[in-house]
Amino acid sequence: LKESVVQVPEVNFNVNDLALRPPKYFEFPTGYNRNFILERFRIGELLFDPSKQQQQQRTLPTEELLGLTEMVSKCLSQCDVDMRANLVGNIIVCGGGSLLSGFSERANTEFSKLSNYGRVRIHIGNSANERRFGSWIGGSILGSLASFQQLWMTRKEFEELGPAAIERKFP
C-alpha cells in the first residue's frame, strides 16, 4: 500500500488541488479493494508538516514534532558556523520514507528554504535498495574504517563505568 498508493504532494497540502487528481486503486490481500483520493497524500504530508496530524489529534504538544525541513534547520543551527555550508551542501536522503512517490520533488522544494546556510545540494540514491538501506550501508562502511575504531566504546568499558563512560569518552 505504501509503495503503490501513498504519495507526497509536491507543494503544501491543499485539499482543493489534491481532490482533483485521479484516485489510486488498491486491492488488499483479503480481496477488499478501494480507491484512495486525499488519504494517500495525508501520510506523506506528515513528514514535512506534522502539525496537520496534531490539529486532528491533540496528543503531543506542537513543539515536540518537527517536519524534516525544521529538523534539518535546527540541526544546522546547532552546528559550528564554519561547517554549515558544507553540511547543507551534502544532505543525504535515505530510508523507507524516501521511497514514497513525490518525495524527491518535495524534498528539493522544501530544502531549498535552507539556502540561508549556503548552497543546498540533496543526494538521493538512485535505486530503492540504496535509499532503503543507505544508513545501514553507511554505518557499515564507517564502522569498518580503522580511524573510526578508536571511537568505539567496548561493552567492558560501559560495564565498568556505566553511563558515565559515555560522558568520559565523548565529552
Side-chain angles (χ1 to χ4, degrees), residues 11-169:
V11 292
N12 288 338
F13 190 85
N14 183 333
V15 174
N16 297 329
D17 291 341
L18 297 175
L20 298 174
R21 296 193 184 180
K24 287 261 184 154
Y25 173 81
F26 186 78
E27 184 171 337
F28 292 88
T30 61
Y32 174 76
N33 52 44
R34 179 171 175 213
N35 281 325
F36 291 90
I37 303 173
L38 288 176
E39 304 88 4
R40 73 178 196 254
F41 295 104
R42 292 186 198 275
I43 294 170
E45 180 64 19
L46 294 177
L47 292 170
F48 294 96
D49 190 3
S51 66
K52 297 267 196 277
Q53 177 67 19
Q54 291 174 330
Q55 291 169 359
Q56 296 169 358
Q57 298 175 337
R58 295 275 179 199
T59 56
L60 296 172
T62 305
E63 59 272 4
E64 286 189 34
L65 294 177
L66 298 174
L68 288 176
T69 312
E70 290 83 17
M71 275 191 261
V72 171
S73 180
K74 185 176 181 179
C75 289
L76 287 170
S77 70
Q78 294 175 353
C79 291
D80 186 45
V81 176
D82 298 332
M83 293 184 63
R84 290 178 188 167
N86 191 26
L87 292 172
V88 80
N90 292 292
I91 297 173
I92 299 173
V93 178
C94 63
S98 70
L99 297 172
L100 295 176
S101 177
F103 182 88
S104 302
E105 294 81 8
R106 180 69 179 271
N108 281 320
T109 302
E110 291 291 324
F111 289 151
S112 67
K113 295 175 184 176
L114 302 172
S115 61
N116 55 333
Y117 292 111
R119 183 172 169 256
V120 179
R121 282 190 50 220
I122 301 170
H123 304 280
I124 299 176
N126 295 327
S127 72
N129 281 336
E130 185 179 338
R131 287 166 71 178
R132 181 177 287 135
F133 302 115
S135 56
W136 293 102
I137 294 167
S140 172
I141 293 169
L142 185 64
S144 67
L145 296 174
S147 59
F148 186 73
Q149 290 177 2
Q150 65 186 353
L151 299 175
W152 291 3
M153 175 175 291
T154 65
R155 182 180 188 139
K156 183 178 178 186
E157 288 175 301
F158 186 80
E159 286 175 349
E160 286 176 7
L161 298 172
I166 298 171
E167 291 295 325
R168 180 180 285 181
K169 189 153 188 161

Side-chain angles (χ1 to χ4, degrees), residues 7 10 23 65:
Q7 289 182 265
E10 300 82 26
L65 294 177

